[in-house]
Amino acid sequence: MHHTGLDRSALDAFNLDAGLTLEQADHMIENVAGLYALPVGIAQHFIVNGREVLVPMVIEEPSVVAGASYMAKLARATGGFVASTDAPEMIGQIQILDITDLPAARQRLLNHKTELLQEAAQFDPVLISRGGGPRDLEVRLIEESPIGPFLVLHLIYDVRDAMGANAVNTALERLSPRVEAISGGRVHLRILSNLADRRLARAATTIQLDQLAFGQFSAEEVRDGIIEAWAFAAADPYRATTHNKGIMNGVDAVVLATGNDWRAIEAGAHAYAAHSGRYTSLSTWGKDAAGNLTGRLEMPLAVGIIGGATRVHPGAQAALKLMGVTTAAELAEIIVSVGLAQNLAALRALATEGIQRGHMALHARQIAIAAGAIGDQIDQVADRMVQEQNIRVERAQEILLQLEKKN
Ligand code: MEV
């Protein structure tokens, strides 16, 4: 049985069994020995740029999907999330060695910029016809390195709806002979940079103050507690790492569900978090004039909806269909919104009751099942154990016996 807690019709477009066949897997990587499954949860209540969206999340960790959904619900009172993206411009790098007069070689390359860009525009007619292609060229002088100074050429390349690694790497390799000829140097590495800091996605949300009160916590206490928690991450790299990890819980789960390269996203996110020279929080929390909580997240998001695993994996296809996403930008806007929601879920829990409570509830359910509880018994036994703060199989068995005696 599929247990999503969602209206089945909402999931009509989504194939919940969209797994990968061994045959498909065999074409994806080498030495395929089998398949490896992870849960797909559906985050609810999200409104991104005025559009309702169900978000598939692939993740092994409990509480993440529930946390994102709950925060998306709190954000609904003000219209959810407003998100945007920059143009899908990636940076490709060419390392140029063995040059004696670096500034002169740099100038020669810059003098040939138009010609080099024109040449790069010949490589991928399909991308050009879709409005993508080379945009700009920069030449950087690396003054100090373990092998001494050298030049780095950056090719700025608009990859439209692709993640872009293939398009950029191909362009770099094909451009290299001209770069060698013009610079008089030796081209060494030719590779995409995962620090996609021209392809940023950003999301903002406002949580109405009255949405924040719960249990014994007043709305002001929760709001100020969240801002204090954020300030910790803003000031301290040890905390910022964990704070950003919480953001990535949401980001990676959607990246993974859509067959995108989550290592590329991780690498870019953490490098961007250090772009000021000191590693810090990717998000910002504060309050507006009316006292509402405001949040904002900005990070590089090089995700695609064509090519690679996104095209091959039926689960990725189903995920894109469920979200009704038709451009890479729309996908990035949803992902950055989920990241912000996830961050809020973690901060709200940490600033109030701590995160173990939610985890304990799930843990208690697992123990109840291990003790033999079925159906309604699972929640009854789990709730009792949480209340008593005594989550053990023996206790679950005792409670089960009591329940059975009553019936
Ligand atoms: C756990 O997966 C994520 C958190 O540690 C994030 C955070 O501390 O902000 C709860």
Side-chain angles (χ1 to χ4, degrees):
M1 195 188 94
H2 296 300
H3 184 83
T4 60
L6 287 170
D7 177 358
R8 190 66 189 79
S9 65
L11 290 173
D12 275 352
F14 189 56
N15 179 1
L16 288 159
D17 293 317
L20 195 63
T21 65
L22 204 52
E23 162 95 33
Q24 286 163 329
D26 210 24
H27 294 302
M28 282 172 82
I29 63 161
E30 310 73 40
N31 299 358
V32 170
L35 300 168
Y36 183 101
L38 284 170
V40 188
I42 312 284
Q44 307 180 64
H45 310 306
F46 272 90
I47 303 176
V48 178
N49 292 336
R51 194 169 73 85
E52 296 271 356
V53 59
L54 290 172
V55 189
M57 300 177 76
V58 171
I59 187 152
E60 86 297 341
E61 184 175 331
S63 306
V64 169
V65 179
S69 301
Y70 192 38
M71 296 309 116
K73 197 172 180 180
L74 297 187
R76 290 178 78 84
T78 62
F81 299 83
V82 177
S84 63
T85 51
D86 297 336
E89 290 178 1
M90 299 298 286
I91 298 166
Q93 298 193 290
I94 298 180
Q95 181 188 24
I96 316 165
L97 304 175
D98 301 346
I99 295 174
T100 33
D101 189 348
L102 290 164
R106 176 174 183 272
Q107 198 50 55
R108 276 199 303 281
L109 285 165
L110 289 175
N111 291 345
H112 285 81
K113 180 167 160 170
T114 312
E115 174 209 320
L116 284 165
L117 288 175
Q118 269 166 5
E119 178 162 350
Q122 309 301 311
F123 305 151
D124 195 338
V126 177
L127 186 60
I128 300 282
S129 73
R130 293 200 175 124
R135 290 285 183 266
D136 201 1
L137 188 147
E138 295 166 347
V139 187
R140 297 170 49 219
L141 208 163
I142 306 284
E143 309 219 4
E144 270 178 61
S145 91
I147 54 156
F150 56 86
L151 289 185
V152 178
L153 182 144
H154 277 192
L155 178 66
I156 316 300
Y157 207 78
D158 184 317
V159 298
R160 297 284 95 192
D161 289 315
M163 182 273 185
N166 278 330
V168 170
N169 292 337
T170 304
L172 296 175
E173 291 189 8
R174 294 188 58 180
L175 203 58
S176 288
R178 278 302 293 149
V179 170
E180 277 192 336
I182 296 166
S183 67
R186 169 171 66 93
V187 163
H188 195 44
L189 300 198
R190 300 153 295 173
I191 188 72
L192 174 91
S193 169
N194 287 126
L195 179 48
D197 60 1
R198 290 175 167 256
R199 197 180 186 180
L200 301 177
R202 51 193 77 77
T205 192
T206 299
I207 310 292
Q208 224 166 266
L209 185 60
D210 61 14
Q211 303 281 309
L212 287 169
F214 76 101
Q216 80 266 33
F217 301 101
S218 74
E220 287 81 3
E221 259 177 316
V222 177
R223 178 198 62 201
D224 295 345
I226 289 168
I227 297 171
E228 286 159 0
W230 160 73
F232 185 3
D236 173 36
Y238 284 91
R239 174 58 204 150
T241 306
T242 324
H243 176 101
N244 291 340
K245 189 275 184 185
I247 293 172
M248 301 313 282
N249 275 344
V251 168
D252 285 344
V254 190
V255 169
L256 202 46
T258 54
N260 274 288
D261 181 344
W262 76 94
R263 288 87 55 212
I265 301 298
E266 281 282 338
H270 295 291
Y272 188 66
H275 78 290
S276 68
R278 186 172 58 82
Y279 187 90
T280 185
S281 164
L282 286 166
S283 65
T284 315
W285 291 95
K287 59 182 175 184
D288 66 15
N292 301 314
L293 178 71
T294 57
R296 195 183 135 81
L297 170 62
E298 181 179 75
M299 59 184 287
L301 263 179
V303 289
I305 59 163
I306 53 169
T310 301
R311 192 170 42 84
V312 179
H313 198 301
Q317 284 293 318
L320 292 175
K321 202 164 153 196
L322 177 70
M323 290 186 280
V325 154
T326 56
T327 63
E330 266 179 282
L331 175 59
E333 285 160 7
I334 293 172
I335 294 174
V336 71
S337 301
V338 174
L340 185 60
Q342 205 69 60
N343 183 218
L344 177 59
L347 297 187
R348 175 181 171 277
L350 288 168
T352 55
E353 58 190 12
I355 58 157
Q356 283 313 94
R357 214 180 107 97
H359 283 254
M360 279 305 141
L362 266 154
H363 177 57
R365 284 174 57 87
Q366 280 157 3
I367 297 292
I369 294 167
I374 48 167
D376 292 345
Q377 291 175 336
I378 301 172
D379 278 341
Q380 288 173 14
V381 173
D383 288 351
R384 268 284 284 287
M385 290 193 295
V386 170
Q387 253 172 33
E388 296 171 0
Q389 301 197 340
N390 182 10
I391 302 167
R392 290 180 305 121
V393 177
E394 298 74 35
R395 183 60 193 142
Q397 282 162 345
E398 284 166 20
I399 301 170
L400 255 182
L401 270 177
Q402 288 168 11
L403 284 176
E404 277 161 10
K405 261 194 218 146
K406 260 203 240 163
N407 294 330

